[in-house]
Amino acid sequence: GGAIDAPQTAGLGRVKVSLGGPLSPSLGGSLAAAYSGHEPTLMNALPGAPDGNDQARATLRGQLLWTGAENLKLRLIAGHMQQRDRQGESDVYFAPGADSTRVATALQQLEGVAPCPDNVPRNRVSCFDSTNELDLEASDLTLSADYRFDNGWTLSSLSSWDRYESRRTDDDAVQMFAPLAFYRDSEQGESVQQELRLASAEAARV
């Protein structure tokens, strides 16, 4: 646990847990989990509007090792990560007399939105109708196998699969204190890999 220096103290925390050991004479396993997060570090000056730049991330990873055969060893590893937070907000400052300020003022008046009650630079207080939200999930699975032949040669196989999906949402993309511009972005990917390797015995002639 701890705290982050912000307009109001933002708490933060991190927890890690792991355990492992033999499950049988030929099977062993381990499991590890972690969580980290912190409260918002950017305050919203609009009454009732959400604050920004918080974090919540959790990971889980486990593995099994089988050595039941004299010449064969198998290892399975699986992992999952999930992150859901409101991030990416910046401390926006409208400089008096600037063209961007005049454009922002015109848009706000068009939408019938009152000026931001805070326009102080670098104080980590700003105005935004909604936050930039991130939803990310990723999973992976790996299987490795090592077989040792009687002549000392070793055949190794490594198979892996992974997948991720990311979604980002912002209903106030230009931070005009109103939902004037919307941003929706999503992407996902998946891959499968296979590797085979044959290694000779020590001091063997190839």
Side-chain angles (χ1 to χ4, degrees):
I4 300 175
D5 187 16
Q8 63 184 40
T9 302
L12 62 90
R14 179 176 298 174
V15 178
K16 293 183 179 180
V17 179
S18 63
L19 55 90
L23 303 176
S24 73
S26 60
L27 183 65
S30 65
L31 184 65
Y35 173 83
S36 62
H38 62 75
E39 296 175 334
T41 60
L42 187 70
M43 303 300 106
N44 199 334
L46 296 180
D51 297 325
N53 292 357
D54 64 2
Q55 183 189 76
R57 179 185 300 162
T59 59
L60 181 66
R61 181 162 294 274
Q63 64 174 309
L64 294 172
L65 175 63
W66 182 79
T67 56
E70 181 179 356
N71 295 342
L72 179 62
K73 180 173 65 175
L74 299 174
R75 185 187 302 271
L76 179 66
I77 303 174
H80 181 74
M81 187 275 285
Q82 182 172 304
Q83 179 174 342
R84 291 178 178 172
D85 45 37
R86 298 174 295 181
Q87 60 170 270
E89 300 297 341
S90 56
D91 188 352
V92 176
Y93 171 67
F94 293 100
D99 292 339
S100 58
T101 301
R102 285 191 284 268
V103 172
T105 301
L107 289 173
Q108 292 160 15
Q109 292 174 347
L110 181 65
E111 190 69 17
V113 178
C116 180
D118 181 280
N119 193 37
V120 179
R122 297 184 296 277
N123 68 340
R124 301 200 61 77
V125 177
S126 189
C127 291
F128 39 93
D129 181 73
S130 62
T131 60
N132 188 336
E133 298 183 0
L134 173 67
D135 187 350
L136 172 64
E137 290 191 40
S139 302
D140 63 88
L141 188 66
T142 302
L143 174 64
S144 66
D146 294 295
Y147 183 80
R148 186 177 181 86
F149 295 96
D150 293 337
N151 61 0
W153 285 53
T154 302
L155 178 64
S156 299
S157 170
L158 183 65
S159 308
S160 66
W161 166 88
D162 63 81
R163 183 182 186 277
Y164 79 94
E165 184 174 359
S166 172
R167 295 179 294 275
R168 189 178 290 276
T169 304
D170 193 346
D171 288 341
D172 189 3
V174 292
Q175 287 187 290
M176 295 298 177
F177 331 144
L180 299 177
F182 301 91
Y183 177 77
R184 297 285 192 277
D185 179 61
S186 63
E187 60 180 83
Q188 61 182 24
E190 185 173 8
S191 67
V192 177
Q193 302 180 47
Q194 174 64 50
E195 176 185 332
L196 290 175
R197 181 175 59 200
L198 182 64
S200 62
E202 295 182 7
R205 300 182 63 181
V206 180

